[in-house]
Amino acid sequence: MPRLRKIGRVNQTGRRKLLQRDFHIGVDWSVSPPKIDQSAFRFNPPDKVSADNRVIIEAYRKDKYVQFDLGNVGSWSLPSDISLEKFGRDTIHFEVRIIDPGNPGILSWKSARITKTPPKLIERPSSKDSRFLLDVVYSKLAKGVPMNVGFPEGETQDPVKLEINLEECSILADALIEPNPQPHAMLIPTVLHIIVQRLVIDANAKTFEPEQEIHSASQWQNMWNGLFKSWTGKGLEDLDYDDASELSEYIEKIIAYWATLSGNPAKSVSRLLGGD
């Protein structure tokens, strides 16, 4: 019986592979626009890499591409502009490349692709330790009521709950969890509006302090406030949120940014109603 052999491509350039232990790239999603997380970035090249080689970080998704030049291996540093504005809050792929100046255009070292994904607004937890901001739940609501927005009680990290009528409208919950873009397009703008209004109520009641920095133990209001700040560049602490017109403008910006993340919700609604 013939032996099976692995067939692979021949690396004719002599290029070597950078391993994940040689570097770490993170994304700071808490700011708008997102950027490479400077405090978390790490680059420890193997000893065999020549100090005069150039280090490049490539960020890309589909037809979008950004390149960051870190200079020479022996004296590398992140550039001053590490913004990922071109990608918004979308999944981003990264690769680290090292180029030999004696052979322009030819890579001497290259990493595998690293993918970074922004936190989701609605997410089903994969474990009891997962963190998420908005959960879809099946609930027993009054007859004829399709949905309700339920807020956590007390100082907690529990998510806001989008409660869907279990007996009469469970198909809506299924579509939101799946997720189906049309129900999202119909409901999420109103839900975001309600959440901002609740944050204002809680801020006025001193239930939470918008100016507090976000950390792993932050309560749910601060988490939402931080998310909205990453979308608009402002949190409640930057507003006169008792000014109705200023608050309305702020909510419009939140919903507009969500719409850019979601493709084109208006078109989704149009198609749902039989339009083009």
Side-chain angles (χ1 to χ4, degrees), residues 11-190:
N11 180 358
Q12 300 190 21
T13 65
R15 183 181 65 230
R16 299 182 180 182
K17 181 181 292 187
L18 286 173
L19 304 179
Q20 288 194 24
R21 66 170 180 251
D22 298 326
F23 68 96
H24 176 78
I25 299 175
V27 176
D28 184 356
W29 301 106
S30 67
V31 295
S32 181
K35 63 180 181 179
I36 292 176
D37 189 340
Q38 188 167 13
S39 63
F41 182 80
R42 178 174 52 80
F43 178 59
N44 297 313
D47 294 337
K48 295 180 180 180
V49 180
S50 298
D52 61 348
N53 282 195
R54 287 179 57 222
V55 188
I56 301 292
I57 298 175
E58 293 183 335
Y60 60 92
R61 177 177 171 82
K62 296 182 178 178
D63 60 342
K64 299 175 182 177
Y65 175 86
V66 177
Q67 178 176 287
F68 302 96
D69 190 337
L70 278 62
N72 294 335
V73 169
S75 58
W76 67 269
S77 63
L78 284 171
S80 57
D81 183 4
I82 50 178
S83 170
L84 298 166
E85 182 175 10
K86 181 173 289 189
F87 305 97
R89 288 180 61 85
D90 209 344
T91 297
I92 308 173
H93 307 300
F94 294 93
E95 291 183 15
V96 178
R97 298 171 178 258
I98 297 179
I99 301 172
D100 184 349
N103 296 284
I106 297 180
L107 295 174
S108 57
W109 295 76
K110 176 180 177 295
S111 75
R113 184 174 75 176
I114 302 297
T115 299
K116 299 296 179 180
T117 303
K120 297 178 181 178
L121 188 63
I122 296 180
E123 181 177 339
R124 301 304 297 174
S126 57
S127 74
K128 62 182 179 181
D129 296 324
S130 296
R131 302 289 185 196
F132 53 106
L133 296 179
L134 183 63
D135 193 15
V136 178
V137 297
Y138 301 90
S139 298
K140 188 174 182 179
L141 302 179
K143 184 176 178 61
V145 176
M147 58 156 284
N148 180 58
V149 179
F151 292 99
E153 296 183 2
E155 297 181 4
T156 177
Q157 292 185 306
D158 291 344
V160 174
K161 293 181 179 179
L162 189 51
E163 303 169 347
I164 307 299
N165 192 315
L166 171 63
E167 296 181 356
E168 299 181 301
C169 207
S170 61
I171 191 173
L172 176 58
D174 296 339
L176 288 167
I177 293 170
E178 202 167 303
N180 186 315
Q182 293 171 337
H184 276 238
M186 294 286 286
L187 297 181
I188 295 301
T190 300

Side-chain angles (χ1 to χ4, degrees), residues 224-245:
W224 275 101
N225 192 51
L227 175 66
F228 292 149
K229 187 167 186 175
S230 74
W231 287 3
T232 66
K234 291 184 177 181
L236 287 188
E237 69 275 17
D238 304 308
L239 306 174
D240 178 4
Y241 44 80
D242 291 323
D243 184 321
S245 61

